[in-house]
Amino acid sequence: MKKRTTLAATALGLVTLGLVAQAANATGKLEIFSWWTAGGEADGLKAIYGVIQKDNPKLEIINATVGGGAGTNAKAVLKTRMLGGNPPDSFQVHGGAELIDQWVRGRLMADISDVWKSQGWEKVIPKDLQEMVQSGGKYYAVPVNVHRGNVLYYNKAVLDKAGVKPPKTMAEFFAAAEKLKKAGVTPLALGSQGNWQITMLFENNLVAAGGPKFYRDLVTGKVAWTDAKVKKALEDTKRMLSYTNKDSTALGWDQAAGLVLNGKAAFTIMGDWAKGYFQANKWTADKEFSSVPAPGTTGSFMIITDTFGLPAKAKNVANGKVWLEALGSKAGQEAFNVKKGSICARTDCNPKLFDPIGQRTMKDFAKDQLVPSIAHGSAVKESFASAINDEMGVFLQKGDVNATATRLEQQAKSLGAR
């Protein structure tokens, strides 16, 4: 993705309340499949359901959620349903490789270019996001949000008590971690169930070690996984893991955020759905907690976008399109993202509705270098992303930098990612 200095201008003359005439008075059933069950995720989903049911009170929404961070469990259930010819009417999927390689190229998704055209989304959704839901010039999903993956959250009271400032560089992070450890506080909270959280640490450290261009070259197969900068990122990840809670394999991301919430840990590095978790637990941004970019990644934006499309064999196609229209609407995205912790995929949402961290995220999204996430399905094909997660699980236990780099390179070649 290319660096952008401005976003698309606000479109005029669009229906901003979200639902066009076609969307009103829908009846029957609408099954929505997602993994949004925790904190702000569930609150955001409830908010978007409220938007659609306000104009469609007779529409029965079936909330088919399967818990598990990053969709670890949900994706397995979804695959069984999709391949078995029993898809939901719409489902959550990360934009980029996860959507295109698995579902679109498998001819399991319907072309929704007509919905994009009727709603005028090309005027208010940036091209970077459009490309993440396109294949062959056709649209197959609508982005509902933009998450940032390279975020370090911190408990302000814990840092103040320890005399620690929010770190910007890797050196500052390790100095802060050592000081916090001596103060009897876990420096970095980690919940590593499913291993994808370790992959997030690793991908952020890859950007820190080599910069956004190096990272993009790596994930597109132009650079070997045995490169010295990859090994530097692994070394930094290994060192970070030494400052985490010992029970990380038993915890999910939200439980790790809970350690920060209750003052047992100072930091957690997570996507900004963690902000939604903190706010759902009555914390206020820049009061009890705040955030900075993950160490060494200032100027880069690890982009993650949740999207929804229409399965080719969906039972309730008309209602599925009503849902997509609501998701892409200004009213829908404002209602959803304020709760979820993310920012709108649209460029015309009202910044004043968002907390100070959200407003800073909007500004960074407009100017930073965008890099796609490995852990969340945008950067590499699913088989390789899964292999990286498995390697990170082994790395957590053994911490062998050279062996891990070698196996990643072997996996990349065997899976066609190099």
Side-chain angles (χ1 to χ4, degrees):
M1 293 183 179
K2 296 180 179 179
K3 180 177 181 179
R4 295 170 293 113
T5 55
T6 59
L7 292 176
T10 300
L12 300 177
L14 292 177
V15 180
T16 61
L17 291 180
L19 304 178
V20 295
Q22 174 186 339
N25 301 317
T27 60
K29 296 182 179 181
L30 171 66
E31 185 184 9
I32 305 302
F33 186 95
S34 78
W35 55 81
W36 286 329
T37 60
E41 299 178 327
D43 292 342
L45 191 58
K46 183 178 179 180
I48 191 69
Y49 286 162
V51 169
I52 193 171
Q53 289 188 311
K54 181 179 179 181
D55 287 342
N56 302 275
K58 295 183 180 179
L59 182 63
E60 179 187 352
I61 297 178
I62 301 169
N63 184 29
T65 55
V66 177
T72 306
N73 301 323
K75 291 174 186 177
V77 175
L78 178 65
K79 186 173 184 178
T80 298
R81 292 190 58 179
M82 290 287 283
L83 297 180
N86 181 36
D89 296 313
S90 189
F91 63 88
Q92 177 188 2
V93 58
H94 292 129
E98 185 177 306
L99 166 68
I100 303 303
D101 290 351
Q102 184 169 9
W103 303 121
V104 174
R105 289 177 181 161
R107 299 186 178 182
L108 295 171
M109 300 300 289
D111 175 5
I112 60 165
S113 299
D114 59 328
V115 181
W116 270 78
K117 183 176 181 180
S118 70
Q119 301 302 299
W121 289 334
E122 288 184 334
K123 298 177 182 178
V124 292
I125 294 178
K127 284 197 173 183
D128 293 299
L129 293 180
Q130 293 180 32
E131 291 171 359
M132 295 179 78
V133 295
Q134 274 185 319
S135 181
K138 298 177 180 179
Y139 290 99
Y140 289 92
V142 57
V144 66
N145 63 7
V146 170
H147 272 300
R148 185 175 195 170
N150 58 319
V151 189
L152 182 143
Y153 288 98
Y154 59 92
N155 182 315
K156 293 190 71 176
V158 170
L159 261 63
D160 289 345
K161 184 177 180 180
V164 170
K165 293 182 179 180
K168 296 181 180 179
T169 66
M170 200 66 72
E172 289 176 356
F173 173 80
F174 289 125
E178 192 60 32
K179 195 170 184 179
L180 288 160
K181 184 178 180 180
K182 289 179 180 178
V185 178
T186 298
L188 182 62
L190 175 67
S192 60
Q193 283 182 343
N195 299 325
W196 58 270
Q197 303 93 329
I198 311 171
T199 302
M200 285 189 72
L201 292 180
F202 178 43
E203 67 186 6
N204 289 335
N205 292 345
L206 284 167
V207 174
K213 183 181 184 302
F214 169 80
Y215 177 86
R216 287 191 291 264
D217 286 346
L218 179 69
V219 298
T220 53
K222 298 175 183 176
V223 174
W225 288 84
T226 50
D227 187 275
K229 292 175 182 177
V230 174
K231 293 182 180 181
K232 174 64 166 63
L234 286 168
E235 291 283 5
D236 288 339
T237 303
K238 179 179 179 179
R239 193 174 174 190
M240 277 186 170
L241 291 173
S242 72
Y243 288 106
T244 61
N245 44 293
K246 303 303 180 185
D247 61 347
S248 71
T249 57
L251 304 183
W253 71 266
D254 50 336
Q255 293 168 305
L259 295 178
V260 176
L261 186 76
N262 63 32
K264 293 183 178 179
F267 302 121
T268 192
I269 295 176
M270 188 45 55
D272 45 20
W273 48 89
K275 176 164 69 80
Y277 172 87
F278 292 137
Q279 291 171 326
N281 283 279
K282 310 303 180 186
W283 264 14
T284 301
D286 285 352
K287 185 179 179 182
E288 289 89 2
F289 77 103
S290 193
S291 70
V292 291
T297 68
T298 298
S300 296
F301 192 112
M302 186 67 69
I303 185 171
I304 301 159
T305 181
D306 293 300
T307 78
F308 284 79
L310 185 68
K313 293 184 179 181
K315 298 180 181 67
N316 301 294
V317 173
N319 288 344
K321 289 188 175 183
V322 169
W323 164 249
L324 297 179
E325 290 170 0
L327 284 178
S329 71
K330 183 172 183 286
Q333 295 212 355
E334 288 178 342
F336 175 79
N337 287 292
V338 168
K339 298 286 187 181
K340 180 70 161 60
S342 44
I343 61 174
C344 296
R346 295 176 64 110
T347 60
D348 58 349
C349 288
N350 182 2
K352 293 181 180 179
L353 296 175
F354 293 79
D355 60 77
I357 294 176
Q359 292 177 24
R360 293 197 294 269
T361 302
M362 289 178 175
K363 292 179 181 179
D364 287 348
F365 178 62
K367 66 181 177 60
D368 283 0
Q369 292 263 9
L370 303 184
V371 287
S373 171
I374 297 169
H376 296 278
S378 299
V380 299
K381 60 173 63 178
E382 184 197 18
S383 57
F384 188 38
S386 179
I388 293 174
N389 283 344
D390 290 344
E391 285 298 332
M392 288 301 101
V394 175
F395 187 71
L396 174 64
Q397 303 301 323
K398 296 186 176 181
D400 191 327
V401 169
N402 289 327
T404 299
T406 298
R407 285 195 297 268
L408 287 173
E409 176 68 2
Q410 291 171 343
Q411 291 278 17
K413 289 181 175 179
S414 67
L415 295 170
R418 271 272 289 154

